[in-house]
Amino acid sequence: MDSVVQYILDRSHLEVTLIKITNATEESFVMSIESRATGTGPVPAKLAPMEVDLVFAGACFGKLKLPEVTTSPSGCDVNIYDQLIPVVDIVAFRAFVKSLMVDEKLSLTLDNGKCSITAFRFLKGNCIYKKDVHIKGMNGPATRIVKATAEENTVVVANPSPLHIDYRVSKFKVRDGKGETVAELKGPMIIQRGETEVTMAITRKTGVSVDGEGLRLVGVGTEDKAWTDDTLQFINVPIGLTDEFRSFYQPA
């Protein structure tokens, strides 16, 4: 029975539709995951709760408790909400966050789960749960300014990934092609799935031009003392500007 269970689990697929990261501290975060398991076999079965390692690029950065799950031939939902994750390897975790933000795709491995399965109420098996989860990354993310006033700017962040991450109050710079700062932005930054509008206060620099190419939005850090402060710096992307934004730099 154990070998059959292991074979079925190895052939199953886990599709993640939401990775929500909030409440960042220097050593932890709160995570919610929504996903669906398919290919778990023709017989309904019950998987007991278990704990798995969260592994990226061969390094474990935390542990996740998976709930009890009942499979079916058509698949089953595997959802975890508001679970506190202590970070056991901050370097590995930062690498995971960076890949989520800048890469087109990545893999997260759920590993070392001691899995117990029951089918037909009397057939039981044990195995080691290990599953590579393929995730679409944010690939940037792409950004553009859609509204500008003297005091505020509204930025649209386009996020094709399942990641939802709350950076809280964040600081950015808009830099020209030479690396010179033309504006500073500050405000709450929550990157959600799809397109998100974020409105931030703006401080413009004088004596600079925004007429050239190559302007970029660069993450500076957050007000919180947490791992978000330096991972925000992974954002360094081209930014689209409106004529309205440029008009504030034109001489009267």
Side-chain angles (χ1 to χ4, degrees):
M1 178 66 175
D2 288 0
S3 60
V4 173
V5 168
Q6 189 72 61
Y7 175 78
I8 293 174
L9 280 182
D10 289 346
R11 292 175 62 86
S12 66
H13 175 71
L14 189 65
E15 180 182 4
V16 174
T17 55
L18 172 67
I19 300 174
K20 185 176 181 179
I21 297 176
T22 60
N23 297 86
T25 71
E26 290 184 291
E27 300 175 342
S28 68
F29 59 96
V30 172
M31 173 181 274
S32 296
I33 294 177
E34 293 180 355
S35 61
R36 186 164 183 82
T38 56
T40 53
V43 178
K46 182 177 292 185
L47 280 71
M50 60 179 153
E51 184 176 73
V52 296
D53 293 341
L54 296 168
V55 178
F56 179 72
C60 173
F61 63 80
K63 294 182 180 293
L64 179 70
K65 293 180 175 65
L66 299 183
E68 179 179 277
V69 173
T70 300
T71 69
S72 72
S74 61
C76 63
D77 293 331
V78 183
N79 299 328
I80 302 106
Y81 294 108
D82 299 327
Q83 190 171 134
L84 178 65
I85 310 292
V87 177
V88 299
D89 186 334
I90 192 63
V91 174
F93 179 61
R94 284 177 179 142
F96 172 64
V97 174
K98 181 178 182 180
S99 187
L100 276 171
M101 296 177 71
V102 307
D103 293 338
E104 288 188 38
K105 56 184 178 180
L106 63 146
S107 292
L108 172 69
T109 301
L110 308 181
D111 202 359
N112 295 322
K114 294 178 174 59
C115 181
S116 176
I117 299 180
T118 303
F120 297 122
R121 296 186 180 181
F122 59 88
L123 293 177
K124 294 185 178 181
N126 298 293
C127 62
I128 299 299
Y129 186 86
K130 179 178 181 179
K131 184 61 55 183
D132 291 328
V133 182
H134 302 292
I135 304 169
K136 181 181 290 188
M138 293 170 62
N139 194 27
T143 60
R144 66 185 189 276
I145 291 176
V146 295
K147 184 179 180 181
T149 69
E151 296 82 22
E152 294 181 333
N153 274 211
T154 299
V155 179
V156 169
V157 181
N159 172 21
S161 82
L163 178 65
H164 172 124
I165 185 167
D166 184 0
Y167 274 98
R168 294 182 286 222
V169 178
S170 304
K171 295 170 283 187
F172 295 87
K173 290 184 178 181
V174 179
R175 290 178 175 160
D176 62 17
K178 298 178 181 179
E180 185 175 1
T181 298
V182 301
E184 295 178 348
L185 305 176
K186 181 179 178 180
M189 168 64 77
I190 301 176
I191 302 176
Q192 302 182 53
R193 294 174 293 181
E195 290 199 343
T196 305
E197 286 194 358
V198 180
T199 299
M200 293 180 281
I202 185 169
T203 302
R204 294 180 175 83
K205 301 296 182 181
T206 59
V208 295
S209 172
V210 293
D211 292 332
E213 299 294 328
L215 279 95
R216 303 183 71 84
L217 180 70
V218 179
V220 175
T222 64
E223 285 196 339
D224 291 329
K225 193 174 182 181
W227 53 261
T228 48
D229 184 45
D230 55 6
T231 60
L232 188 75
Q233 297 171 28
F234 296 142
I235 296 179
N236 188 336
V237 293
I239 186 166
L241 304 181
T242 62
D243 291 339
E244 186 180 35
F245 180 93
R246 297 179 191 276
S247 69
F248 287 96
Y249 291 85
Q250 295 174 358

